[in-house]
Amino acid sequence: MPNSYDVVIIGAGTGGYVAAIRCAQLGKKVAVVEKQKSLGGTCLIWGCIPTKALLEHAHALKVIRDAKEWGVTLPSAPPAIDMNQVQSRKDRIVTGLTKGVEFLFKKNKIDWIKGTARLAGKGKVDIVEGEQQTLEAKEIIIATGSSARSVPGIELDRKRIITSDEAIGLKAVPKTLVIMGSGAVGVEFASIYRRFGSEVTIIELLPRLVPVEDEAVSAELEKSFRKQGIKALTGTKVTRAAAGANGVDIEAQTPDGQTQKLTADLLLVATGRGPVTTGLGVEQAGIAMEKGYIKVDELYRTSVPNISAIGDVITLGKGVHPQLAHVSSAEGILVAERIAGEDVRPINYDHVPSCTYCDPEIGSVGLTEAEARQKGYDVRIGSFPFGVLGRAKMAGETEGFVKIVADKKYDEILGIHMIGPRSTELVAEAVLALRLECTVEELIKTMHAHPTFSEAVGEAAHATHGAAIHL
Ligand SMILES: Cc1cc2nc3c(=O)[nH]c(=O)nc-3n(C[C@H](O)[C@H](O)[C@H](O)COP(=O)(O)OP(=O)(O)OC[C@H]3O[C@@H](n4cnc5c(N)ncnc54)[C@H](O)[C@@H]3O)c2cc1C
């Protein structure tokens, strides 16, 4: 049967396309249904890739602006950003990567069915738009991801009141930009558009920026943003936003109960994302849901046999499921291996790295100091500033630190939190340390090359035992 598959996957984001490749590697006949014109989902088209491409432009502009410091002579006109070039370079990168996924599909003999999928009873998926047909599948994996959402009372018009989907494609730098929410998406766009020249204000409901990070990291980011001229209104709630022809009128309630009025060219709503299940027929299929998310067990089985779900669209029914590309991919691999009959073990979500690519960058894994104390650990802390390192001085990137949270009793590392240059790369060592249940002593004995940024990790371990060499 041409329309009959071992596995049909709905959605070709980082969850779906990675699951498809792994299924094919394990000998399965696979089809992926994707309604967009290209493969790769949120991460490649609107998320990780375009935002980090824009951040690289912002970084390049920073280096060029500091030309004098580097001994580089520029023509007298101040360097400026050309948004047409920024957008076309970003689009080239995105297209290159989405075409790369297409190539991998061909290489692994995975069929891309172009259209919108709907569950159609046991082992059946209808393609209701696009290449209309019914697919038969022994196993179905739902990987339909998430989309940007607003909060009650704030209506998106996608012109003046926008989401990250629009913010990645701006053809002109807004003079004034207000950002609602200081999670990863909010602070990354703050870094991008501040460097490009916007007046940026972040409004955060909670008392600090990047509220899920260690408190010391939040404080360091706030200090750095202040220096860069990014205004942060924390503990503040946006209560009204009205888009007009020339901008947005915003009202916010400050921690002392006062109403603060702001106007901006654009309001970027970066308050989170919601699951995509509309029209998928999940309820009719009898799949158990929780607050709009598909409920799965620790091996990503839904309540209906032979239907699994992974990525941004799921909840494990406990805590917050991280909406991250690498999480969705890890889940995709696990499901593929389970379907192929391999011995699989549940993912440990305590070891998920969290990276925020604002300037300065943040990388973290494991328990924050507050979480460790709350769990009753006798906590030992060690911190080492990047500013002391030769390598950081050479790069002119001296902000931030590495902080280790450890358990005094067994010397086990519970969490590593860093803000500063290359933190999103350095966190890989921290993830491995936690995965291997490494002690502080073992990290001290792990040699770090000189001169590197990674010396900050080694020195933070020394500092945890009260013996940093360069402090
Ligand atoms: C601005 C931004 C920046 C981000 N940066 C990072 C980052 O730096 N690092 C990181 O790890 N994560 C980042 N993320 C999060 C990351 O993009 C997501 O966690 C990840 O893409 C989730 O993958 P997924 O496969 O679950 O879903 P998605 O990538 O959302 O893919 C779902 C796919 O399913 C398709 N689909 C949906 N319904 C149907 C249907 N009925 N039929 C056919 N196709 C359908 C959609 O078109 C889509 O292509 C970022 C997100 C945003 C918005």
Side-chain angles (χ1 to χ4, degrees):
M1 284 267 296
N3 293 357
S4 177
Y5 293 91
D6 293 321
V7 188
V8 167
I9 298 170
I10 306 175
T14 40
Y17 90 71
V18 170
I21 293 171
R22 190 70 190 119
C23 283
Q25 285 173 343
L26 293 165
K28 299 290 175 194
K29 187 181 174 206
V30 187
V32 177
V33 190
E34 173 54 61
K35 61 184 177 184
Q36 294 297 329
K37 288 195 182 74
S38 43
L39 301 171
T42 304
C43 172
L44 270 63
I45 305 171
W46 305 284
C48 328
I49 301 302
T51 49
K52 274 71 211 180
L54 295 182
L55 277 155
E56 291 295 347
H57 282 272
H59 182 73
L61 187 60
K62 177 185 169 194
V63 173
I64 294 164
R65 281 199 181 126
D66 292 343
K68 217 165 150 195
E69 170 73 14
W70 296 104
V72 177
T73 310
L74 293 177
S76 54
I81 197 87
D82 170 359
M83 286 305 278
N84 286 328
Q85 166 61 10
V86 169
Q87 291 298 348
S88 67
R89 182 173 180 274
K90 178 211 75 185
D91 291 343
R92 252 193 337 267
I93 294 164
V94 169
T95 306
L97 290 171
T98 57
K99 290 276 175 214
V101 179
E102 264 184 63
F103 163 78
L104 291 172
F105 272 23
K106 282 192 190 119
K107 183 181 154 201
N108 287 284
K109 300 189 172 38
I110 297 164
D111 288 343
W112 171 12
I113 313 290
K114 298 182 176 100
T116 304
R118 184 182 168 79
L119 301 171
K122 196 174 161 32
K124 286 196 167 58
V125 175
D126 277 347
I127 313 304
V128 291
E129 276 164 28
E131 298 170 0
Q132 295 183 13
Q133 58 193 293
T134 298
L135 306 177
E136 288 184 7
K138 290 183 194 138
E139 294 280 346
I140 297 167
I141 304 175
I142 301 171
T144 48
S146 64
S147 60
R149 66 176 172 197
S150 189
V151 291
I154 309 295
E155 206 178 310
L156 301 169
D157 71 352
R158 308 233 174 220
K159 289 188 177 73
R160 292 280 176 190
I161 304 179
I162 62 171
T163 71
S164 59
D165 292 353
E166 292 75 44
I168 54 161
L170 297 182
K171 293 278 163 33
V173 176
K175 210 162 162 305
T176 46
L177 173 66
V178 171
I179 300 174
M180 212 176 136
S182 74
V185 173
V187 296
E188 287 182 8
F189 279 107
S191 289
I192 293 167
Y193 283 104
R194 180 62 193 143
R195 289 269 182 244
F196 286 177
S198 302
E199 290 294 325
V200 176
T201 304
I202 303 182
I203 303 180
E204 168 57 54
L205 183 63
L206 293 171
R208 57 191 176 93
L209 296 183
V210 284
V212 297
E213 297 292 344
D214 191 273
E215 280 182 36
V217 168
S218 296
E220 185 73 8
L221 184 67
E222 234 169 294
K223 192 171 82 183
S224 177
F225 270 10
R226 210 174 306 125
K227 267 203 287 187
Q228 296 174 44
I230 296 171
K231 214 167 145 194
L233 303 175
T234 51
T236 300
K237 183 180 180 180
V238 176
T239 49
R240 188 178 158 268
N246 300 317
V248 191
D249 292 322
I250 301 155
E251 281 181 15
Q253 195 178 34
T254 57
D256 55 8
Q258 303 290 313
T259 298
Q260 185 163 346
K261 293 188 176 183
L262 300 95
T263 54
D265 290 339
L266 297 176
L267 171 65
L268 166 59
V269 179
T271 47
R273 296 173 65 79
V276 173
T277 56
T278 314
L280 193 58
V282 273
E283 284 88 2
Q284 293 86 334
I287 294 175
M289 308 288 287
E290 192 177 294
K291 293 184 184 150
Y293 289 89
I294 296 175
K295 217 170 158 189
V296 291
D297 69 10
E298 57 184 13
L299 298 181
Y300 312 104
R301 291 173 288 225
T302 69
S303 58
V304 173
N306 308 109
I307 302 183
S308 306
I310 54 170
D312 282 10
V313 75
I314 64 163
T315 175
L316 285 141
K318 49 183 179 199
V320 177
H321 173 257
Q323 291 186 322
L324 291 169
H326 42 281
V327 170
S328 66
S329 297
E331 293 167 350
I333 290 171
L334 189 147
V335 167
E337 292 177 351
R338 171 172 59 72
I339 287 172
E342 295 206 346
D343 180 26
V344 289
R345 302 287 152 88
I347 289 171
N348 183 348
Y349 287 88
D350 292 340
H351 296 165
V352 171
S354 166
C355 291
T356 305
Y357 301 76
C358 50
D359 181 11
E361 291 185 355
I362 300 168
S364 64
V365 62
L367 300 181
T368 63
E369 181 178 347
E371 285 166 348
R373 291 194 192 284
Q374 213 172 19
K375 282 182 183 277
Y377 284 104
D378 189 4
V379 170
R380 187 141 73 167
I381 300 295
S383 191
F384 190 84
F386 281 106
V388 178
L389 292 180
R391 184 66 200 276
K393 286 183 194 293
M394 290 173 231
E397 293 181 71
T398 50
E399 283 180 312
F401 55 81
V402 175
K403 172 176 172 177
I404 294 181
V405 179
D407 164 37
K408 210 183 256 176
K409 191 168 172 198
Y410 297 112
D411 200 36
E412 186 184 351
I413 297 171
L414 304 172
I416 302 189
H417 309 272
M418 46 188 102
I419 176 166
R422 318 296 196 272
S423 287
T424 58
E425 301 291 338
L426 298 179
V427 77
E429 181 184 11
V431 177
L432 189 65
L434 261 73
R435 166 112 184 128
L436 300 180
E437 296 179 6
C438 183
T439 61
V440 177
E441 183 66 27
E442 283 164 327
L443 197 51
I444 288 172
K445 295 283 190 279
T446 305
M447 207 179 284
H448 291 82
H450 176 75
T452 61
F453 293 102
S454 74
E455 285 175 282
V457 179
E459 282 275 27
H462 281 275
T464 311
H465 280 192
I469 303 298
H470 292 94
L471 274 186

